[in-house]
């Protein structure tokens, strides 16, 4: 820090807060760990939750189109029931069940249960298996 | 100061200010969605692909309409909370604020359009 007449400025090539910025050892990050059931199933909860925005907005469009009239509905309904729309909906059904099971796991954790590694791993495996089963059941029913 | 408990002095002083409110809202909407999502999947899924007139008649019934309205409201509010956490984890600086504001507005707008549309169909 260099000060003159009450005005202070950081030294050249440094910032005020930390002169060693960018030159410190970093803690290990994602790339260094072997994938685990706990980490992967947790990351997937986040990905599925955000990806569901696509289906969510498509469904909003479908409702707005239905409220607008037959012509607008025909377009939105055509997109949602096209092969691409069906693919998005199929993926979203799995994402929805998976994310719901992930939320259920969080509620169980919040109650103080199943917090040990073995239970968490088993819950993760159950989420993957159950989400696939629920998706198949949904496709059969609908 | 002797009249203040330690807890009272600590409330609101953390970096998050509002403490556990975000998490509590997440829990409440999660529980609500555990009920709403299956109901919505099997009502919306039943009528998706049907002709226009059938869709309109279907959503003029109270149960499918209310399930759809509640799912859109609670679902997009839940999304708005979740996406804020994601942005806070991965985006920094001004872009963080801009992204959070944009996604909150998008979520509420989506819920608003959906609810208006469903009510318009139903009434």
């Amino acid at each position: 820090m260099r000060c003159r007449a009450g005005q202070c400025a950081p030294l050249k090539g440094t910032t005020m807060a930390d002169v060693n910025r960018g030159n410190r050892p970093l803690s290990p990050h994602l790339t260094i760990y072997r994938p685990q059931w706990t980490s992967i199933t947790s990351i997937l909860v986040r990905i599925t939750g955000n990806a569901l925005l696509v289906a969510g907005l498509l469904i909003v469009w479908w409702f707005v189109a239905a409220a607008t009239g037959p012509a607008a509905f025909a377009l939105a309904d055509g997109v949602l029931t096209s092969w691409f729309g069906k693919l998005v909906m199929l993926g979203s059904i799995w994402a929805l069940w998976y994310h719901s099971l992930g939320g259920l796991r969080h509620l169980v954790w919040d109650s103080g249960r199943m917090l040990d590694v073995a239970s968490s791993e088993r819950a993760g495996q159950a989420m993957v298996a159950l989400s696939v089963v629920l998706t198949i059941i949904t496709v059969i029913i609908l | 100061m002797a009249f203040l408990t330690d807890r009272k002095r600590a409330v609101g002083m953390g970096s998050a200010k509002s403490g556990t409110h975000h998490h509590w809202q997440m829990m409440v909407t999660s529980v609500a969605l555990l009920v709403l999502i299956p109901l919505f999947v099997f009502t919306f899924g039943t009528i998706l692909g049907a002709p226009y007139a059938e869709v309109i008649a279907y959503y003029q019934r109270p149960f499918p309409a209310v399930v759809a309205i509640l799912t859109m409201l609670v679902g997009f509010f839940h999304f708005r909370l979740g996406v804020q956490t994601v942005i806070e984890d991965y985006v920094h600086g001004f872009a963080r604020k801009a992204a959070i504001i944009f996604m909150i507005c998008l979520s509420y707008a989506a819920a608003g359009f959906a609810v208006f549309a469903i009510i318009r169909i139903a009434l």
Side-chain angles (χ1 to χ4, degrees), chain A residues 24-111:
Chain A
R24 291 168 297 184
L26 294 169
S27 57
H29 202 45
L30 284 175
T31 48
I32 208 157
Y33 293 110
R34 158 180 71 83
Q36 304 131 317
W37 276 100
T38 43
S39 61
I40 298 298
T41 52
S42 173
I43 290 164
L44 270 175
V45 168
R46 182 164 274 203
I47 293 172
T48 49
N50 283 280
L52 280 167
L53 178 64
V54 177
L57 291 179
L58 280 175
I59 290 169
V60 172
W61 179 40
W62 186 85
F63 276 122
V64 171
T68 306
F73 179 78
L75 179 62
D77 197 58
V79 171
L80 260 74
T81 54
S82 68
W83 68 267
F84 181 73
K86 280 179 178 163
L87 194 66
V88 171
M89 285 299 147
L90 178 67
S92 298
I93 287 171
W94 174 77
L96 200 58
W97 292 137
Y98 182 86
H99 191 85
S100 300
L101 292 167
L104 189 61
R105 184 170 67 158
H106 267 289
L107 292 169
V108 173
W109 278 338
D110 284 342
S111 74

